[in-house]
């Protein structure tokens, strides 16, 4: 049982941060939710607590945007994402809480910095690049697995 009052303060802050970000007001700041709570509890426990919340938010988002997608992008990125998830699964036995804390914190900082420095959404759309799409699909699958497993 979690009895530390700081956990509840950080958890409420993280849920608000994630909610605002998922609602379109915080950009990549949702990535700071789990790392914020991981300051007071183990990161795997933080991810386990937030996973149902994140799944519910994602399901609401999928429902709201149903039928609106870019088929070619999905066809390019999904195989890479599956490969990244498999790589994450194969390496899961070799990482501990400190490794996960480092990986999740680094990813969160990089995405937040990108958003704060204006890199998010500031470029015009480009033509599909299958090699880059597969590469970033692998990265997305791996980081998603690590941060949510």
């Amino acid at each position: 049982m979690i009895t530390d009052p700081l956990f509840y303060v950080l958890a409420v802050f993280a849920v608000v941060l994630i909610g605002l970000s998922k609602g379109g007001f915080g950009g990549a700041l949702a990535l700071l939710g789990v790392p914020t709570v991981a300051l007071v509890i183990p990161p795997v426990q933080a991810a386990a607590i937030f996973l149902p919340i994140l799944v519910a938010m994602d399901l609401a988002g999928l429902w709201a945007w149903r039928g609106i997608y870019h088929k070619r992008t999905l066809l390019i990125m999904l195989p890479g994402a599956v490969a990244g998830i498999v790589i994450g699964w194969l390496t899961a036995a070799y990482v501990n809480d400190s490794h996960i804390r480092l990986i999740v914190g680094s990813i969160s900082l990089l995405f937040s910095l990108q958003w704060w420095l204006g890199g998010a959404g500031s470029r015009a759309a480009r033509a599909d690049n299958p090699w880059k799409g597969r590469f970033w699909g692998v990265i997305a699958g791996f980081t998603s697995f690590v941060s949510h497993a």
Side-chain angles (χ1 to χ4, degrees), residues 89-105:
W89 177 73
L90 291 172
T91 60
Y94 302 104
V95 296
N96 59 32
D97 282 351
S98 296
H99 295 124
I100 294 171
R101 193 174 277 125
L102 178 66
I103 293 168
V104 171

Side-chain angles (χ1 to χ4, degrees), residues 20-88:
L20 286 172
S21 184
K22 293 274 188 178
F25 295 109
L29 291 177
L31 293 170
L32 294 176
V34 172
T36 299
V37 177
L39 294 171
V40 291
I41 62 174
V44 173
Q45 186 178 7
I49 290 169
F50 277 89
L51 186 59
I53 297 167
L54 294 169
V55 168
M57 289 178 172
D58 286 345
L59 288 173
L62 285 171
W63 180 256
W65 292 94
R66 66 189 177 279
I68 301 171
Y69 59 92
H70 190 253
K71 186 176 181 179
R72 177 140 168 83
T73 300
L74 287 174
L75 291 173
I76 290 171
M77 290 193 73
L78 278 178
V82 171
I85 292 167
V86 169
I87 292 167

